[in-house]
Amino acid sequence: MSSTARALAVTVADVIEVTPLVKRFEFVSTDGAPLPPFSGGAHVVVELPDGDHLRRNPYSLMSSPRDLSRYAISVRRDDGGRGGSRYLHEQVVPGMAMTISAPVNLFALDLRARKHLMIAGGIGITPFIAQIHQLSGGGAPFELHYKARSAPLAAYMDDLAARHPGAVHACCSDRGEDLDLDTLLTTQPLGTHLYVCGPERLIAGVTARAAALGWPARHVHVEHFAAPPPGLPFAVRLAASNLSITVRGEQSLLEAIEEAGVDAPYLCRGGACGQCETAVVACDGTLHHHDHWLTDAQRETGDRIMPCVSRFTGRLLTLDR
Amino acid sequence: MTITFRTETFRDDFTFRNSPAGIRRFPFPFHEDGYMYSVNIEPHRPGAPGSVFEHGFDVDEHYVAEMADRALVLAEDPLRCQALPHMDLASWDYLELVMTTKARDYPELFTLETDGDRWHWTNRPLGIDDRFTFGVTSTLPCPPLEYIGRQTQGDHCLLDQRDNNLWMDAGMVTTQADWSLDFDIGMNFFEWHAPVPLAHEMGVFQRAIKFLTSIPQGQPSRRLNWTLTVNPRLDTSPENYPKWGPDKLTVTPDTIGEKMHLRVELQTFWRLPRSNALVFPIRCYLLRFDDLVTIPKWARRMHRVIRDLPPELVTYKGMSRYHPMLVEWLAAHDDGAPTSPGIFPD
Amino acid sequence: MIEPTILSRPTYGTLEPRPGRAHLLIADDAGSAAIVDLFARAPADFHESATILSVTKDLSGDEAAALHRLSPATLTACPDMPAMLNTLAGLLAEAGMGVQIYLAGTEPLIGQAMRVVIEAGIDHSAIATEHRGSLARRVQCVHCKGFMDEVTTQPVTCAHCGLSLFVRDHYSRRLAAFQGVCINAEDQSEIVPAEEVFR
Ligand code: HEM
Ligand code: FES
């Protein structure tokens, strides 16, 4: 009883340079049919077959949920990462056939909200673009605050500001602008829901201020953009499948399990959804938890791991998989 | 395959009957000679042709009569169909799921033509032919959940997903086994299941919620639930308990075969992609005991299940008044022979 | 102390001061002591940002006086529940995110005030509650949908349709009521005597 979103065959329709660091990739379905509907905040998992290494990375959909003729994602090039964004930037060109997953939403709007207050940092803007499309068909008002290093690096800023005057606010650090969080969080009407997506530091800062200013936890929603960090190679024993594997440095544990032909469930591949949770049978070494799912107490016991993002150093890790 | 829709009632004179084919395709819920709660969820994949699992939404010989019964319930009690304000998008999502699925699976009965947001829906069994704008409630004769609920067998719960939980924030419920949508609307998964005995302690609901909240679109799941109902009555609601409660006194050894019905719910779970809500259609099937015991495997197994049912379940399922009588009646149809695994007749 | 029974039956905590710039406290006569206790635990300047809304049988009684002595920024006493709920809705319409909401007193007070707060857009989990006073229940008859505000017996005769109702622990936040279901629907000749149990 576990879940993995089904696969969709798509063709790259367009690759557009948005900023020096960000490219937008647009997909149409290969059979010409409309793509499946989705809700703002949903992501797809994109398969990146780089040589003999298959990576699967999650990216938020940023196109309009009302336009199912194509999906769009925007990818920031991260040269320090595991190579997924570099592959997309360097290898993926229009006309290419690719496989993506059906959309899954782990960052949905709370439709009870009287108002949606959105705070984006950098490329964390993408899920909000789809959500704003969704809301502009009717629904509660929104207000977006977008933090970026500079205006030229703030992907889609001009477009958003032009289309939603008064509702979209830029905050560029090179112009010395900073978000006046306390004023923002103390002037919202009752029933507002707050959404944050961006770097870990931004998320931690905003959620801490919101809590201190008396915001209910269930009114605060975050999307952790936890890309699996690279690390050192390590050895794993898959007890249920009776296999021994090695996880390479730029590979996630989940990818290594998949590469061995073992079926493993997942939805987010970012340590947020809990789907990939795997029991640890034996651990001769140290687990490095990078997920947002397990509680501190669960980490303490060390009896489970989220293989989509977490790693291990030591002699041998044995999993119930 | 054409379906001949029966003219029948689920109240007053109770003319409901299953055809011989209807009896054989009944979703008998016991795969072994005993029953206890479990996380009995499996993928809702297309099943054997002719079975109730063949299509995502099963349409059978009772369709037209069930929709007529629903209309009577709604006329008396409009609170059987409700949606909290934030569930409008989910309601449209569900309308789309039903229309596209039924039009694909039963082209002779239902047709859907779309041109962007302009939709044209034809429901031949019910004589409906409507054009409307998808997403615009004012273009339908009634709100979307009510519109599609009046054309789809079974009850329908729309569950908003928040905080790793499901919230029953909308529904159309007229064929329920003794629970009230009007009372439960707004509750979460654990709250609306609160009255169920034993299952909480067994961890059934804790395990189920993890699975349900991660159901992806296009990959529905299903489970079967069951109870017993006196007379083929669809509306056994708490609201109308004073109307159907007295039926229980009419159960005697002589009337069991005619009056007692095994009531099985085929429950399915579907992700609704535009709203990220989940829909939970609860499809009710009824089988008279006289018809049930014509299938020897089912007769034997039914006896053993009812005989060994934990007392908490006997009480919860409302059969305390006649449980010993039922066991005795069923015993006469159990020759003690072993039964084969699985739910299907031999 | 109300013991947990089934998961839909609400349980209540003890009011503690929470972070926030504005505090809205609502109590009936039984709950006023919980507000007094909360103030005793709160920072000295808590009263400056506190609004107290009470429903009291006696506008010049001891409970009203005790709340007055807390010197909150605003103190509004209402003579009955509908007046209090109306005032509450008005206060919430003016309030902003960050306001902390505290409810203290009997279950009908907590339940009905909570419903108004939820309707104003606040998640129910964010509302602090403390039960004080009687265990009398607000009950909805599932058959005729009528409400009764101060039910103390099991079963209870529906004041609207006359059926004898078993009062369940199943509770609806949206209705702010426990469910009442006909206790002898199967055999109306079975008469179950009422006992005073919710005191
Ligand atoms: C998410 C969709 C679901 C909905 C809307 C739903 C709804 C309900 C409702 C309204 C009841 C009646 C409770 C009462 O007595 O008032 C019920 C009973 C029950 N449910 Fe669910 N349910 C769902 C999923 C599940 C799942 C996934 C399981 C287990 C794996 C489950 C197990 C049960 C059981 C064991 C009962 C008692 C039924 C009996 O003994 O007759 N439910 N459900
Ligand atoms: S796949 Fe979501 S936590 Fe690992």
Side-chain angles (χ1 to χ4, degrees):
Chain A
M1 230 182 52
S2 60
S3 309
T4 299
R6 70 188 198 285
L8 306 173
V10 294
T11 305
V12 180
D14 227 336
V15 178
I16 296 139
E17 190 166 310
V18 183
T19 75
L21 287 176
V22 173
K23 278 188 178 174
R24 179 168 77 245
F25 300 85
E26 299 190 351
F27 305 112
V28 295
S29 74
T30 303
D31 65 8
L35 290 154
F38 65 99
S39 47
H43 70 266
V44 294
V45 172
V46 181
E47 291 194 4
L48 306 167
D50 189 2
D52 56 2
H53 171 43
L54 179 63
R55 243 182 240 111
R56 291 190 174 94
N57 280 7
Y59 295 102
S60 296
L61 290 175
M62 56 162 291
S63 42
S64 167
R66 257 185 292 273
D67 177 7
L68 302 177
S69 64
R70 57 175 66 192
Y71 284 168
I73 62 171
S74 280
V75 180
R76 184 182 187 278
R77 186 182 170 117
D78 178 8
D79 288 324
R82 300 174 317 125
S85 65
R86 211 166 49 233
Y87 172 85
L88 274 156
H89 273 249
E90 288 172 1
Q91 313 276 327
V92 172
V93 292
M96 239 169 101
M98 294 187 79
T99 303
I100 65 175
S101 74
V104 169
N105 200 342
L106 301 168
F107 188 51
L109 292 168
D110 190 323
L111 296 177
R112 296 172 306 165
R114 304 301 154 90
K115 174 180 173 183
H116 304 278
L117 176 64
M118 305 162 171
I119 300 180
I123 196 65
I125 188 67
T126 53
F128 293 124
I129 298 178
Q131 291 180 337
I132 289 171
H133 277 296
Q134 178 177 333
L135 290 172
S136 30
F142 73 92
E143 181 179 323
L144 169 72
H145 295 264
Y146 183 1
K147 273 172 79 96
R149 241 177 294 157
S150 67
L153 287 180
Y156 307 109
M157 170 48 86
D158 294 344
D159 181 48
L160 284 166
R163 269 194 293 146
H164 307 282
V168 173
H169 307 273
C171 176
C172 298
S173 43
D174 72 333
R175 299 198 294 234
E177 292 163 349
D178 202 2
L179 198 57
D180 182 358
L181 250 189
D182 280 23
T183 304
L184 190 62
L185 294 178
T186 51
T187 52
Q188 298 302 321
L190 212 63
T192 303
H193 281 252
L194 171 65
Y195 307 82
V196 197
C197 182
E200 208 50 47
R201 211 163 12 88
L202 175 73
I203 294 179
V206 174
T207 50
R209 267 331 276 158
L213 293 169
W215 280 65
R218 286 199 187 158
H219 285 242
V220 181
H221 313 267
V222 304
E223 170 97 309
H224 290 285
F225 247 62
L232 297 172
F234 57 96
V236 179
R237 173 101 194 118
L238 303 178
S241 321
N242 194 21
L243 284 173
S244 291
I245 62 171
T246 301
V247 183
R248 295 190 301 271
E250 82 302 345
Q251 195 180 32
S252 73
L253 170 53
L254 178 60
E255 286 166 352
I257 295 172
E258 289 169 339
E259 194 173 282
V262 174
D263 235 358
Y266 66 84
L267 282 179
C268 71
R269 301 182 85 91
C273 73
Q275 256 316 291
C276 68
E277 186 175 309
T278 304
V280 172
V281 178
C283 171
D284 183 1
T286 312
L287 299 174
H288 301 285
H289 296 289
H290 298 295
D291 61 277
H292 300 279
W293 177 258
L294 297 177
T295 61
D296 287 344
Q298 288 170 326
R299 288 177 189 191
E300 203 83 357
T301 34
D303 62 351
R304 54 195 103 179
I305 186 170
M306 313 306 289
C308 64
V309 287
S310 298
R311 303 187 72 87
F312 167 82
T313 49
R315 216 183 58 78
L316 181 66
L317 173 65
T318 309
L319 298 179
D320 179 20
R321 179 64 75 199
Chain B
M1 189 198 66
T2 52
I3 304 171
T4 308
F5 297 109
R6 304 180 67 92
T7 305
E8 58 190 3
T9 57
F10 301 89
R11 55 180 69 210
D12 306 325
D13 55 352
F14 296 112
T15 58
F16 163 90
R17 292 292 178 278
N18 283 299
S19 67
I23 295 170
R24 285 194 71 82
R25 79 195 294 275
F26 185 82
F28 189 71
F30 308 114
H31 60 90
E32 58 189 10
D33 290 354
Y35 179 79
M36 186 46 188
Y37 294 147
S38 65
V39 190
N40 54 336
I41 306 179
E42 58 180 338
H44 188 39
R45 293 208 190 93
S51 78
V52 301
F53 306 121
E54 180 179 4
H55 298 305
F57 291 87
D58 180 43
V59 176
D60 69 7
E61 59 187 353
H62 309 295
Y63 176 49
V64 175
E66 285 186 22
M67 293 302 97
D69 192 72
R70 162 156 294 162
L72 292 175
V73 175
L74 288 170
E76 270 188 7
D77 184 359
L79 297 178
R80 300 299 188 88
C81 181
Q82 294 189 54
L84 299 184
H86 61 281
M87 298 304 280
D88 189 55
L89 186 58
S91 303
W92 281 103
D93 240 336
Y94 187 42
L95 176 144
E96 175 176 33
L97 176 68
V98 173
M99 286 189 179
T100 52
T101 311
K102 280 189 172 179
R104 183 195 63 207
D105 294 343
Y106 300 93
E108 70 283 11
L109 303 181
F110 308 99
T111 311
L112 177 67
E113 293 158 355
T114 61
D115 172 15
D117 285 346
R118 284 184 310 179
W119 289 32
H120 178 198
W121 168 247
T122 319
N123 176 335
R124 277 176 282 280
L126 297 184
I128 293 169
D129 187 317
D130 283 331
R131 293 166 198 273
F132 59 93
T133 308
F134 184 82
V136 182
T137 298
S138 61
T139 62
L140 282 177
C142 59
L145 175 59
E146 181 182 345
Y147 183 77
I148 201 63
R150 282 179 181 273
Q151 302 182 46
T152 310
Q153 284 168 279
D155 286 338
H156 317 280
C157 302
L158 296 183
L159 315 165
D160 196 18
Q161 182 162 330
R162 307 188 299 266
D163 313 303
N164 298 315
N165 210 331
L166 295 169
W167 303 81
M168 194 187 290
D169 286 348
M172 156 76 90
V173 176
T174 67
T175 70
Q176 69 276 52
D178 201 8
W179 65 278
S180 166
L181 171 74
D182 182 44
F183 196 80
D184 286 5
I185 191 170
M187 290 188 192
N188 69 35
F189 187 73
F190 298 98
E191 292 168 342
W192 81 64
H193 277 124
V196 179
L198 303 176
H200 294 274
E201 296 85 323
M202 291 167 63
V204 165
F205 296 122
Q206 281 81 353
R207 267 174 288 145
I209 192 73
K210 268 199 163 177
F211 175 77
L212 296 175
T213 50
S214 57
I215 286 181
Q217 62 165 291
Q219 290 168 251
S221 294
R222 66 170 173 246
R223 66 182 289 269
L224 295 175
N225 191 41
W226 69 279
T227 190
L228 300 183
T229 302
V230 182
N231 293 327
R233 190 190 288 274
L234 286 174
D235 177 23
T236 48
S237 57
E239 279 82 356
N240 284 333
Y241 185 30
K243 290 188 190 154
W244 54 267
D247 290 359
K248 298 200 182 192
L249 298 182
T250 66
V251 176
T252 67
D254 291 337
T255 61
I256 284 181
E258 164 74 21
K259 286 192 166 287
M260 194 58 71
H261 287 72
L262 174 58
R263 178 189 193 105
V264 172
E265 293 174 350
L266 168 55
Q267 313 177 333
T268 52
F269 311 91
W270 311 70
R271 175 70 56 200
L272 296 176
R274 295 176 195 270
S275 59
N276 201 43
L278 212 65
V279 63
F280 183 66
I282 310 164
R283 174 63 189 281
C284 172
Y285 294 88
L286 295 164
L287 182 61
R288 264 204 314 186
F289 268 32
D290 272 346
D291 289 341
L292 187 152
V293 297
T294 61
I295 313 263
K297 171 177 166 180
W298 292 356
R300 295 181 186 113
R301 184 164 287 167
M302 193 70 204
H303 168 239
R304 298 165 200 181
V305 165
I306 295 292
R307 181 191 61 200
D308 302 337
L309 200 63
E312 292 88 345
L313 273 68
V314 170
T315 307
Y316 178 74
K317 291 177 186 282
M319 54 180 96
S320 312
R321 215 176 263 282
Y322 40 66
H323 183 252
M325 199 195 297
L326 279 180
V327 175
E328 200 175 320
W329 190 90
L330 285 165
H333 297 272
D334 181 0
D335 58 10
T339 53
S340 61
I343 63 173
F344 295 103
D346 288 323
Chain C
M1 189 65 191
I2 286 172
E3 295 298 326
T5 56
I6 62 172
L7 287 171
S8 53
R9 198 255 180 277
T11 53
Y12 308 94
T14 304
L15 297 185
E16 296 294 343
R18 298 176 156 202
R21 301 192 321 158
H23 304 270
L24 177 53
L25 307 107
I26 296 138
D28 55 16
D29 284 334
S32 60
I35 305 286
V36 172
D37 292 351
L38 166 69
F39 271 66
R41 284 191 296 273
D45 61 354
F46 188 77
H47 67 104
E48 291 169 16
S49 53
T51 296
I52 299 181
L53 178 58
S54 75
V55 53
T56 177
K57 292 209 169 59
D58 181 0
L59 290 169
S60 51
D62 291 349
E63 288 86 359
L67 294 178
H68 188 75
R69 278 195 297 277
L70 299 175
S71 41
T74 315
L75 172 61
T76 308
C78 297
D80 67 11
M81 189 77 81
M84 188 282 282
L85 296 174
N86 263 336
T87 310
L88 174 58
L91 287 172
L92 292 169
E94 302 294 313
M97 287 305 287
V99 64
Q100 299 304 305
I101 294 166
Y102 309 80
L103 312 177
T106 59
E107 289 197 89
L109 173 284
I110 295 175
Q112 292 179 88
M114 183 177 282
R115 188 172 55 161
V116 173
V117 177
I118 293 169
E119 274 165 14
I122 290 292
D123 192 273
H124 70 90
S125 65
I127 303 166
T129 58
E130 180 168 339
H131 177 259
R132 294 275 179 117
S134 91
L135 294 176
R137 293 182 171 193
R138 195 170 124 90
V139 174
Q140 186 194 35
C141 171
V142 75
H143 312 294
C144 76
K145 308 279 178 185
F147 290 92
M148 284 175 286
D149 275 338
E150 295 280 334
V151 171
T152 58
T153 66
Q154 179 74 288
V156 62
T157 302
C158 179
H160 312 282
C161 69
L163 289 175
S164 179
L165 302 178
F166 177 76
V167 179
R168 300 180 75 189
D169 279 346
H170 202 33
Y171 178 87
S172 161
R173 249 187 323 271
R174 193 183 62 93
L175 300 170
F178 291 89
Q179 191 177 56
V181 182
C182 185
I183 199 167
N184 57 354
E186 298 177 11
D187 183 354
Q188 300 252 352
S189 68
E190 289 171 0
I191 304 297
V192 186
E195 273 183 69
E196 180 108 348
V197 292
F198 308 120
R199 264 174 307 194

